[in-house]
Amino acid sequence: MKLIYEKSRAGRRAGRIPDPGVQVAEVPAELARTTPPRLPELAEPELVRHYTELSTRTFGIDTGFYPLGSCTMKYNPRINERAVGLPGFADLHPHQEDEGAQGALELMWRLQEMLAEVVGLDAVTLQPAAGSQGELTGLTLMRAHFADRGEDRTEVIIPDTAHGTNPASVAMAGYTLVRVKTDVRGNVDVDDLRGKVGEHTAGLMLTNPSTLGLFEERISEIADIFHSAGALLYYDGANLNAVCGISRPGDMGFDIVHYNLHKTFSQPHGGGGPGGGPVAVRRDLEQFLPVPVVVRDGDTFRLESDRPKTIGKVRGFGGPFGVFVRAYAFMRMWGPGLRDMSEVAVLNANYVLARLKGAYDLPVDRHCMHEFVVSARTLKREHGITALDVAKRLMDHGFHPPTIYFPLIVSEALMIEPTETETRETLDAFCEAMLAIAQEAGDDPQMLKDAPHTRPVTRLDEAEAAKRLLVRYGFDEHPTSGLDE
Amino acid sequence: MSFTSLTDEDRAAMLAAIGVESVADLFAEIPAAVRLDRPLRVDRALTEGELWAHLCELAGRNSGTGSELSFLGAGVYDHYVPAVVDAVMQRGELLTAYTPYQPEMSQGTLQAIFEYQTAICELTGMDVSNASGYDGTTVAADACYVAKQTTGRTKVVVAQTLNPQVRQVVRTFAPGFGMEVVEVPHTGGTTDPDRFGAACADAACAIFPQPNFFGCLEPAPELAAAASAAGALAIAHVDLMTLGVLEAPGAYGCALAIGEGQSAGNHMSYGGPHFGFLAARSDYIRKLPGRIVGETHDHDGRRGFVLTLQTREQHIRREKATSNITTNQTLLAVAGLIYLSWLGPQGLGDVGRACLSLTEHAKRRLGLPLAFDRPTFQEFAVRLSRPARDVIRDARKLGVHPGYALGREYEGMDDVLLVCLTEKRTAADIDRLAEVLRQVQAVAA
Ligand SMILES: Cc1ncc(COP(=O)(O)O)c(C=O)c1O
């Protein structure tokens, strides 16, 4: 379909703003714009049609099943959207004085309290903008902690199953990365780990359950190894949806935890975000949390910035407030029943796993938590069908594909996370599709190689995109104008 | 409420398929020592109706711009958000999709991002744009990381007229990047190019705002030239809404342009979520953080869009990635795109001229001494006869929030008030502000 710039006609317009009715002023000539930006020019009806058409070419959780492992694509309650739009929330200026923002501050404070209880830690900052920013914040807190104690620790240990954000965050926080292996049961290899922990170790970054969808059975032992070496444990909360009300990172021995509010607590993922990545810490790390901190004095709430040992600020203002409203609404509707949420997520995942077991390879044969990883390695060996082909063919069956090629230690990995919000009928339909594809791999492999067959476009050439590097519309000289007409 | 749908019969059938007796068996691998043996201590579950009443009560205790005549700006701006933006954003497909890892399933999101990248490039005069950072503070830290990786240098120079929060975020993350931060004080409300240039020796990058935190227009072309002459990447931190009337950073030689996108089509929402934009000259494309969408073709020769240059990204490059960004602010960036499309070039210019004209009108109408004798855009700083915080407190009692107390962040400015005018304010609003300021200043005089 056409780009909005290709629909644009000089002189058309949608929005108008009121005439201010005061004397007109101009910016000094030497700072004034010389070439007007070529923004789209069209009237409002065409504008709405354009973006509505784009929406029809997008698959969201409202459209259907979206079992993207590690991303927790769950249903987003509609009340959340109505709530963020409330005038007292949407039109509240972040520099408003505390006494003019009591409702917002109380919501943030209550959210902090609930989040702390869920992970079993003492203090929470809501500020980070996403999980990866929570990681960078947590690692910066680690640095502050060791600097405060006059210790020079330079290394952070990460399992080879870790998400790419973990190593990237370690590098950005100025630490050296040390990798630890996974054992045959899919746990962190504790012997390998033991040999890598020492006086230079600042900490461990771990998600539990892991990206294989497995609970670390020896987590307490791992915590002991680190704590006795004077190091800290960081919990990547991307998989928290599996254990809410069941097992708490604080009780497992973690000192710092990030949440992905957009996963566990139902933020719509909006084509890539926004998200929220609050961080919780044990009491002795509280002094380093970013400012401002929401504080309660009796019946009133205020933002406190005067904290001498703070790491500073990691994002503007108190954090992505609209995300807090949604997470708060979601948590209040579940209450202590958050435990049931996790139970159903885990039941759904194990059910799908049980049904797919015969047709796909299992790297580790254990019960999974809220997600699991299978491999298409036999399909590849026998029929040349890769995880990518399976993914593309699933689209024809009306499903968004799972995460593929992650975690890195499993070849032809397919990582499936159904979440708690799907019906048994949906799970069954998905399993039927996966089983049918395994069958098709033998019967008609070329058909799978050519998939998808039912989307607005067939398989896209990613190599061409990286070679041409056409990353903006080129107007008059655009090479492909009109190609798709 | 219920967001799950398993019946007892479903559960029984599923447990049987798995081969376990109960859901508890699925958790058997969790050691008893780390199992929570009590219910979570959180308030009881609310029905949707109860929740709505509670949220309305909380929202009702906030003083937004719907209940108070506000002249607050200082980094977040009360521009009008048209209905079309909210309506399109609520389309479930756009709202509830995730990162377009599977392009055939996500052409809508990908095309929208491509269109967004184009709009950002047009506005900033740059060649390439990423698909959004978190906000206007974090993109500044991102830009420093780009500068370190491209120049190999470790010094960051920032103008003190840059939004204090932006400077704070840069200071938080720079040590981890192995960088140190040097701030250049202002001279009468703007940054002196000679002083700025001198600080830029051996610097990786130099960041200055346009307009600056005091509302003043910086000598941006001279600042960019001074930084570049010293071999530092010149980075302008700009407001999209000014770029219909102010020159684009690309046109005066910046290597990168960054900023807060909230002012374009996003609600103030007590500070977020908003989006940060980051655009650059094409030389830097392989060092940019985050998502970038590129145009390509499918097997049948049809145009399509995909995430591209993913070898920059954390999921491929891991510790060698150009950033750790995954979840970003795509939805808000698309809101910005829709808003900019709604305004068009004419509308964007109109907003800029309206803000500027109202500001000049307010300066005359208030008749208070200006803190700085410089041209301004949509904010200006005035000196009061009392501490600005006290004036704000008293004015709010009369239903007017007169602005931001610059003493919150700058020493020696306790009596300075930063007043902001967007196109939503009117001449009558300015009359009301003048009247209230007269009243509350008289109290103490
Ligand atoms: C295991 C894991 N860790 C960290 C992250 C990063 O979180 P975010 O995308 O919120 O930055 C993700 C998801 O992207 C993840 O799946």
Side-chain angles (χ1 to χ4, degrees):
Chain A
M1 72 180 266
K2 283 186 179 176
L3 289 159
I4 191 142
Y5 302 96
E6 293 163 338
K7 296 178 178 171
S8 175
R9 292 295 173 268
R12 283 198 186 131
R13 64 188 301 193
R16 280 170 208 280
I17 61 138
D19 181 344
V22 299
Q23 194 183 323
V24 175
E26 301 285 347
V27 294
E30 70 278 13
L31 300 174
R33 181 147 194 142
T34 44
T35 326
R38 287 167 291 184
L39 292 174
E41 298 181 68
L42 57 181
E44 190 167 309
E46 288 310 307
L47 187 66
V48 169
R49 280 192 188 148
H50 179 75
Y51 290 105
T52 302
E53 188 178 352
L54 287 186
S55 76
T56 65
R57 293 160 73 96
T58 303
F59 190 92
I61 195 72
D62 282 359
T63 322
F65 187 43
Y66 209 131
L68 197 62
S70 206
C71 296
T72 313
M73 297 295 292
K74 62 171 70 178
Y75 170 71
N76 303 120
R78 278 302 181 272
I79 184 72
N80 291 3
E81 300 309 307
R82 202 206 266 185
V84 278
L86 273 168
F89 292 146
D91 70 6
L92 182 59
H93 195 290
H95 282 307
Q96 177 59 265
E97 319 303 304
D98 289 349
E99 43 107 3
Q102 283 299 301
L105 290 170
E106 178 170 342
L107 184 146
M108 289 167 71
W109 185 84
R110 284 169 171 259
L111 178 61
Q112 287 177 185
E113 294 291 300
M114 287 193 291
L115 289 173
E117 165 67 4
V118 167
V119 299
L121 285 172
D122 303 304
V124 174
T125 173
L126 297 175
Q127 210 176 105
S132 64
Q133 227 216 356
E135 293 171 20
L136 196 47
T137 302
L139 292 165
T140 308
L141 290 165
M142 252 187 215
R143 283 166 62 101
H145 164 79
F146 289 117
D148 192 53
R149 297 160 60 103
E151 290 180 45
D152 184 25
R153 292 177 180 254
T154 52
E155 296 174 354
V156 171
I157 302 181
I158 294 186
D160 54 7
T161 53
H163 193 262
T165 48
N166 293 182
S169 298
V170 164
M172 293 180 81
Y175 281 111
T176 305
L177 177 70
V178 177
R179 284 183 197 79
V180 61
K181 289 198 295 243
T182 299
D183 70 15
V184 288
R185 272 187 68 74
N187 293 315
V188 167
D189 186 327
V190 178
D191 296 329
D192 189 31
L193 186 69
R194 224 183 275 282
K196 286 177 173 160
V197 180
E199 55 180 325
H200 298 302
T201 310
L204 171 75
M205 280 185 104
L206 195 70
T207 181
N208 188 24
S210 69
T211 61
L212 288 168
L214 303 171
F215 197 90
E216 290 293 346
E217 293 164 298
R218 294 165 74 180
I219 187 62
S220 301
E221 198 182 335
I222 293 172
D224 284 345
I225 294 172
F226 277 82
H227 287 153
S228 44
L232 298 175
L233 264 73
Y234 182 95
Y235 184 90
D236 174 338
N239 294 337
L240 196 63
N241 206 56
V243 292
C244 287
I246 293 164
S247 183
R248 306 191 304 171
D251 300 337
M252 300 174 205
F254 287 92
D255 306 284
I256 309 173
V257 168
H258 88 245
Y259 311 76
N260 302 69
L261 293 184
H262 44 295
K263 298 182 182 188
T264 317
F265 304 110
S266 83
Q267 181 75 13
H269 293 54
V279 170
V281 294
R282 224 178 262 297
R283 185 67 70 204
D284 55 326
L285 290 162
E286 183 178 6
Q287 55 188 332
F288 306 114
L289 288 182
V291 288
V293 179
V294 185
V295 182
R296 177 181 188 159
D297 296 324
D299 287 338
T300 58
F301 301 86
R302 66 186 166 81
L303 289 174
E304 186 176 279
S305 287
D306 189 16
R307 296 228 171 161
K309 291 195 175 176
T310 175
I311 58 167
K313 280 190 69 62
V314 301
R315 183 206 177 275
F317 306 103
F321 179 74
V323 174
F324 307 155
V325 174
R326 293 184 181 94
Y328 179 75
F330 182 78
M331 294 181 86
R332 289 305 307 269
M333 284 190 288
W334 275 107
L338 277 172
R339 184 192 169 100
D340 305 326
M341 169 190 92
S342 290
E343 285 189 354
V344 177
V346 171
L347 176 58
N348 280 357
N350 278 286
Y351 177 64
V352 177
L353 172 63
R355 291 210 54 192
L356 299 186
K357 237 177 191 175
Y360 292 85
D361 304 283
L362 262 189
V364 187
D365 194 2
R366 284 170 57 184
H367 288 314
C368 67
M369 300 301 285
H370 69 309
E371 66 190 353
F372 62 92
V373 179
V374 293
S375 161
R377 80 171 74 103
T378 304
L379 295 186
K380 186 172 178 197
R381 192 180 58 240
E382 293 179 359
H383 311 294
I385 291 303
T386 62
L388 183 74
D389 299 326
V390 174
K392 299 299 183 195
R393 180 62 180 152
L394 266 171
M395 298 178 187
D396 293 334
H397 288 273
F399 300 109
H400 193 284
T403 296
I404 52 174
Y405 300 109
F406 180 73
L408 303 181
I409 61 164
V410 178
S411 64
E412 300 303 323
L414 292 147
M415 184 189 212
I416 298 169
E417 181 180 10
T419 84
E420 71 279 6
T421 58
E422 302 303 327
T423 62
R424 175 153 69 114
E425 291 84 341
T426 300
L427 302 180
D428 280 333
F430 174 75
C431 293
E432 301 302 337
M434 286 291 286
L435 298 175
I437 291 169
Q439 183 66 38
E440 286 168 355
D443 299 346
D444 189 359
Q446 192 54 43
M447 194 264 299
L448 294 195
K449 292 261 153 224
D450 294 338
H453 304 274
T454 56
R455 305 300 306 168
V457 287
T458 58
R459 219 179 276 196
L460 286 157
D461 188 345
E462 307 200 12
E464 182 198 339
K467 213 157 60 204
R468 278 169 103 207
L469 276 186
L470 200 55
V471 295
R472 55 162 295 178
Y473 181 61
F475 295 91
D476 302 335
E477 69 279 18
H478 197 78
T480 52
S481 293
L483 227 184
D484 64 339
E485 256 100 278
Chain B
M1 65 86 227
S2 179
F3 307 126
T4 59
S5 52
L6 300 189
T7 63
D8 290 345
E9 192 191 329
D10 288 332
R11 278 173 200 267
M14 291 166 74
L15 289 170
I18 298 165
V20 293
E21 298 277 304
S22 69
V23 173
D25 294 345
L26 297 173
F27 294 101
E29 286 174 3
I30 301 185
V34 299
R35 266 189 244 168
L36 186 66
D37 56 5
R38 58 163 176 85
L40 284 172
R41 292 192 185 112
V42 295
D43 289 332
R44 73 170 174 89
L46 298 181
T47 64
E48 183 176 313
E50 288 171 319
L51 173 72
W52 179 245
H54 170 56
L55 291 170
C56 288
E57 192 275 325
L58 288 175
R61 277 194 277 132
N62 300 321
S63 310
T65 50
S67 60
E68 196 172 75
L69 176 58
S70 175
F71 297 87
L72 269 174
V76 167
Y77 299 100
D78 186 25
H79 293 288
Y80 178 69
V81 179
V84 55
V85 172
D86 290 328
V88 175
M89 293 296 61
Q90 289 304 318
R91 290 283 306 184
E93 306 88 337
L94 294 176
L95 184 70
T96 70
Y98 195 35
T99 305
Y101 295 116
Q102 296 289 344
E104 299 83 3
M105 214 66 174
S106 313
Q107 280 303 295
T109 298
L110 287 159
Q111 180 170 331
I113 294 174
F114 185 84
E115 293 178 357
Y116 161 81
Q117 289 170 185
T118 306
I120 295 298
C121 290
E122 277 296 307
L123 288 170
T124 57
M126 291 286 165
D127 305 318
V128 295
S129 157
N130 76 357
S132 94
Y134 303 132
D135 74 2
T137 67
T138 64
V139 287
D142 294 339
C144 294
Y145 204 56
V146 172
K148 160 117 192 266
Q149 293 189 321
T150 45
T151 65
R153 297 177 174 186
T154 57
K155 184 162 81 175
V156 175
V157 175
V158 292
Q160 235 174 45
T161 56
L162 181 65
N163 186 321
Q165 300 204 21
V166 178
R167 285 182 283 133
Q168 284 162 11
V169 169
V170 169
R171 276 201 303 267
T172 301
F173 292 122
F177 301 166
M179 301 181 88
E180 77 277 14
V181 184
V182 173
E183 298 203 348
V184 179
H186 68 93
T187 311
T190 54
T191 310
D192 175 57
D194 291 336
R195 210 168 167 184
F196 196 62
C200 287
D202 296 325
C205 62
I207 313 177
F208 63 87
Q210 177 72 326
N212 73 25
F213 195 67
F214 306 141
C216 299
L217 291 171
E218 292 278 359
E222 285 88 50
L223 294 176
S228 308
L233 304 192
I235 303 175
H237 195 279
V238 294
D239 179 342
L240 291 180
M241 300 305 289
T242 67
L243 293 175
V245 294
L246 287 182
E247 188 54 289
Y252 51 81
C254 288
L256 279 86
I258 56 175
E260 171 62 65
Q262 175 274 328
S263 51
N266 280 279
H267 297 277
M268 296 185 289
S269 193
Y270 203 46
H274 300 149
F275 72 96
F277 59 90
L278 185 151
R281 290 215 310 265
S282 55
D283 319 4
Y284 304 103
I285 189 166
R286 285 170 202 282
K287 298 288 184 209
L288 292 191
R291 313 296 185 192
I292 296 176
V293 169
E295 187 180 304
T296 187
H297 295 98
D298 71 1
H299 283 180
D300 301 325
R302 269 180 303 228
R303 177 169 68 186
F305 301 92
V306 296
L307 293 176
T308 196
L309 291 182
Q310 292 189 64
T311 48
R312 295 168 298 108
E313 293 196 62
Q314 42 70 35
H315 62 288
I316 311 259
R317 258 305 211 44
R318 301 177 77 82
E319 73 269 28
K320 298 211 170 57
T322 54
S323 78
N324 63 351
I325 294 176
T326 32
T327 296
N328 54 81
Q329 310 294 109
T330 302
L331 188 70
L332 293 313
V334 172
L337 167 70
I338 295 171
Y339 174 63
L340 292 165
S341 307
W342 185 79
L343 278 182
Q346 181 65 41
L348 186 68
D350 289 347
V351 172
R353 279 181 291 275
C355 295
L356 187 67
S357 303
L358 285 163
T359 303
E360 291 305 316
H361 176 77
K363 281 185 192 169
R364 293 188 297 269
R365 182 68 184 80
L366 298 187
L368 294 167
L370 297 176
F372 307 111
D373 179 22
R374 293 278 194 271
T376 57
F377 179 72
Q378 64 178 353
E379 281 171 289
F380 63 101
V382 289
R383 293 222 176 251
L384 303 172
S385 59
R386 303 169 56 199
R389 293 194 146 217
D390 297 349
V391 167
I392 291 167
R393 187 195 57 224
D394 292 348
R396 289 197 61 233
K397 289 183 190 142
L398 302 171
V400 173
H401 199 307
Y404 178 82
L406 272 174
R408 279 164 77 161
E409 294 290 348
Y410 291 88
E411 256 176 65
M413 291 202 195
D414 283 344
D415 61 343
V416 181
L417 181 74
L418 186 67
V419 182
C420 172
L421 282 304
T422 66
E423 82 288 354
K424 280 176 76 176
R425 304 288 95 86
T426 64
D429 293 339
I430 294 170
D431 290 344
R432 172 90 187 118
L433 173 66
E435 170 56 23
V436 165
L437 282 181
R438 194 189 55 74
Q439 252 178 302
V440 299
Q441 294 220 87
V443 171

PDB file of all heavy atoms in Angstrom, chain A residues 328-340:
ATOM      1  N   TYR A 328      -1.315  -0.807  37.785  1.00  0.00           N
ATOM      2  CA  TYR A 328      -2.039  -0.709  39.056  1.00  0.00           C
ATOM      3  C   TYR A 328      -3.460  -1.264  38.897  1.00  0.00           C
ATOM      4  O   TYR A 328      -3.930  -2.055  39.714  1.00  0.00           O
ATOM      5  CB  TYR A 328      -2.071   0.754  39.507  1.00  0.00           C
ATOM      6  CG  TYR A 328      -2.815   0.972  40.801  1.00  0.00           C
ATOM      7  CD1 TYR A 328      -2.244   0.598  42.012  1.00  0.00           C
ATOM      8  CD2 TYR A 328      -4.089   1.541  40.818  1.00  0.00           C
ATOM      9  CE1 TYR A 328      -2.920   0.780  43.209  1.00  0.00           C
ATOM     10  CE2 TYR A 328      -4.775   1.730  42.001  1.00  0.00           C
ATOM     11  CZ  TYR A 328      -4.188   1.348  43.196  1.00  0.00           C
ATOM     12  OH  TYR A 328      -4.864   1.529  44.376  1.00  0.00           O
ATOM     13  N   ALA A 329      -4.130  -0.840  37.826  1.00  0.00           N
ATOM     14  CA  ALA A 329      -5.499  -1.306  37.588  1.00  0.00           C
ATOM     15  C   ALA A 329      -5.522  -2.829  37.484  1.00  0.00           C
ATOM     16  O   ALA A 329      -6.361  -3.502  38.091  1.00  0.00           O
ATOM     17  CB  ALA A 329      -6.047  -0.679  36.299  1.00  0.00           C
ATOM     18  N   PHE A 330      -4.576  -3.355  36.750  1.00  0.00           N
ATOM     19  CA  PHE A 330      -4.516  -4.804  36.541  1.00  0.00           C
ATOM     20  C   PHE A 330      -4.305  -5.532  37.875  1.00  0.00           C
ATOM     21  O   PHE A 330      -5.016  -6.496  38.196  1.00  0.00           O
ATOM     22  CB  PHE A 330      -3.366  -5.120  35.578  1.00  0.00           C
ATOM     23  CG  PHE A 330      -3.227  -6.568  35.231  1.00  0.00           C
ATOM     24  CD1 PHE A 330      -4.072  -7.156  34.302  1.00  0.00           C
ATOM     25  CD2 PHE A 330      -2.246  -7.352  35.821  1.00  0.00           C
ATOM     26  CE1 PHE A 330      -3.928  -8.505  33.965  1.00  0.00           C
ATOM     27  CE2 PHE A 330      -2.105  -8.696  35.494  1.00  0.00           C
ATOM     28  CZ  PHE A 330      -2.957  -9.273  34.567  1.00  0.00           C
ATOM     29  N   MET A 331      -3.373  -5.050  38.665  1.00  0.00           N
ATOM     30  CA  MET A 331      -3.069  -5.727  39.933  1.00  0.00           C
ATOM     31  C   MET A 331      -4.230  -5.627  40.915  1.00  0.00           C
ATOM     32  O   MET A 331      -4.506  -6.564  41.659  1.00  0.00           O
ATOM     33  CB  MET A 331      -1.793  -5.156  40.552  1.00  0.00           C
ATOM     34  CG  MET A 331      -0.567  -5.454  39.715  1.00  0.00           C
ATOM     35  SD  MET A 331       0.977  -4.815  40.431  1.00  0.00           S
ATOM     36  CE  MET A 331       1.431  -6.172  41.518  1.00  0.00           C
ATOM     37  N   ARG A 332      -4.913  -4.490  40.898  1.00  0.00           N
ATOM     38  CA  ARG A 332      -6.047  -4.352  41.814  1.00  0.00           C
ATOM     39  C   ARG A 332      -7.186  -5.279  41.427  1.00  0.00           C
ATOM     40  O   ARG A 332      -7.965  -5.708  42.279  1.00  0.00           O
ATOM     41  CB  ARG A 332      -6.555  -2.891  41.843  1.00  0.00           C
ATOM     42  CG  ARG A 332      -5.649  -1.898  42.530  1.00  0.00           C
ATOM     43  CD  ARG A 332      -5.267  -2.257  43.952  1.00  0.00           C
ATOM     44  NE  ARG A 332      -6.376  -2.557  44.849  1.00  0.00           N
ATOM     45  CZ  ARG A 332      -7.000  -1.669  45.623  1.00  0.00           C
ATOM     46  NH1 ARG A 332      -6.627  -0.397  45.597  1.00  0.00           N
ATOM     47  NH2 ARG A 332      -7.975  -2.028  46.426  1.00  0.00           N
ATOM     48  N   MET A 333      -7.330  -5.572  40.131  1.00  0.00           N
ATOM     49  CA  MET A 333      -8.420  -6.467  39.719  1.00  0.00           C
ATOM     50  C   MET A 333      -8.098  -7.927  40.054  1.00  0.00           C
ATOM     51  O   MET A 333      -9.000  -8.712  40.277  1.00  0.00           O
ATOM     52  CB  MET A 333      -8.722  -6.301  38.229  1.00  0.00           C
ATOM     53  CG  MET A 333      -9.514  -5.020  37.960  1.00  0.00           C
ATOM     54  SD  MET A 333     -10.144  -4.930  36.268  1.00  0.00           S
ATOM     55  CE  MET A 333      -8.652  -4.627  35.376  1.00  0.00           C
ATOM     56  N   TRP A 334      -6.838  -8.277  40.102  1.00  0.00           N
ATOM     57  CA  TRP A 334      -6.467  -9.642  40.494  1.00  0.00           C
ATOM     58  C   TRP A 334      -6.366  -9.776  42.012  1.00  0.00           C
ATOM     59  O   TRP A 334      -6.739 -10.799  42.580  1.00  0.00           O
ATOM     60  CB  TRP A 334      -5.123 -10.051  39.884  1.00  0.00           C
ATOM     61  CG  TRP A 334      -5.209 -10.610  38.494  1.00  0.00           C
ATOM     62  CD1 TRP A 334      -4.824  -9.993  37.341  1.00  0.00           C
ATOM     63  CD2 TRP A 334      -5.688 -11.903  38.107  1.00  0.00           C
ATOM     64  NE1 TRP A 334      -5.033 -10.820  36.264  1.00  0.00           N
ATOM     65  CE2 TRP A 334      -5.559 -11.998  36.703  1.00  0.00           C
ATOM     66  CE3 TRP A 334      -6.215 -12.999  38.806  1.00  0.00           C
ATOM     67  CZ2 TRP A 334      -5.933 -13.139  35.981  1.00  0.00           C
ATOM     68  CZ3 TRP A 334      -6.591 -14.132  38.094  1.00  0.00           C
ATOM     69  CH2 TRP A 334      -6.450 -14.190  36.700  1.00  0.00           C
ATOM     70  N   GLY A 335      -5.779  -8.772  42.667  1.00  0.00           N
ATOM     71  CA  GLY A 335      -5.566  -8.875  44.115  1.00  0.00           C
ATOM     72  C   GLY A 335      -4.706 -10.101  44.424  1.00  0.00           C
ATOM     73  O   GLY A 335      -3.824 -10.470  43.643  1.00  0.00           O
ATOM     74  N   PRO A 336      -4.953 -10.769  45.552  1.00  0.00           N
ATOM     75  CA  PRO A 336      -4.152 -11.962  45.892  1.00  0.00           C
ATOM     76  C   PRO A 336      -4.297 -13.060  44.842  1.00  0.00           C
ATOM     77  O   PRO A 336      -3.466 -13.967  44.781  1.00  0.00           O
ATOM     78  CB  PRO A 336      -4.741 -12.420  47.235  1.00  0.00           C
ATOM     79  CG  PRO A 336      -5.499 -11.241  47.754  1.00  0.00           C
ATOM     80  CD  PRO A 336      -5.957 -10.454  46.571  1.00  0.00           C
ATOM     81  N   GLY A 337      -5.322 -12.960  44.006  1.00  0.00           N
ATOM     82  CA  GLY A 337      -5.536 -13.949  42.945  1.00  0.00           C
ATOM     83  C   GLY A 337      -4.480 -13.925  41.861  1.00  0.00           C
ATOM     84  O   GLY A 337      -4.522 -14.737  40.937  1.00  0.00           O
ATOM     85  N   LEU A 338      -3.510 -13.014  41.954  1.00  0.00           N
ATOM     86  CA  LEU A 338      -2.388 -13.022  41.005  1.00  0.00           C
ATOM     87  C   LEU A 338      -1.761 -14.414  40.932  1.00  0.00           C
ATOM     88  O   LEU A 338      -1.217 -14.813  39.908  1.00  0.00           O
ATOM     89  CB  LEU A 338      -1.317 -12.016  41.447  1.00  0.00           C
ATOM     90  CG  LEU A 338      -1.531 -10.556  41.052  1.00  0.00           C
ATOM     91  CD1 LEU A 338      -0.492  -9.680  41.723  1.00  0.00           C
ATOM     92  CD2 LEU A 338      -1.495 -10.380  39.541  1.00  0.00           C
ATOM     93  N   ARG A 339      -1.869 -15.118  42.040  1.00  0.00           N
ATOM     94  CA  ARG A 339      -1.356 -16.492  42.056  1.00  0.00           C
ATOM     95  C   ARG A 339      -2.090 -17.360  41.020  1.00  0.00           C
ATOM     96  O   ARG A 339      -1.461 -18.163  40.322  1.00  0.00           O
ATOM     97  CB  ARG A 339      -1.534 -17.073  43.461  1.00  0.00           C
ATOM     98  CG  ARG A 339      -0.945 -18.440  43.588  1.00  0.00           C
ATOM     99  CD  ARG A 339      -1.353 -19.141  44.871  1.00  0.00           C
ATOM    100  NE  ARG A 339      -0.945 -20.537  44.742  1.00  0.00           N
ATOM    101  CZ  ARG A 339       0.164 -21.034  45.288  1.00  0.00           C
ATOM    102  NH1 ARG A 339       0.915 -20.291  46.045  1.00  0.00           N
ATOM    103  NH2 ARG A 339       0.502 -22.289  45.062  1.00  0.00           N
ATOM    104  N   ASP A 340      -3.403 -17.176  40.917  1.00  0.00           N
ATOM    105  CA  ASP A 340      -4.173 -17.964  39.940  1.00  0.00           C
ATOM    106  C   ASP A 340      -3.731 -17.621  38.514  1.00  0.00           C
ATOM    107  O   ASP A 340      -3.686 -18.480  37.638  1.00  0.00           O
ATOM    108  CB  ASP A 340      -5.674 -17.681  40.069  1.00  0.00           C
ATOM    109  CG  ASP A 340      -6.169 -17.918  41.486  1.00  0.00           C
ATOM    110  OD1 ASP A 340      -5.623 -18.838  42.139  1.00  0.00           O
ATOM    111  OD2 ASP A 340      -7.054 -17.179  41.947  1.00  0.00           O
TER     112      ASP A 340
END
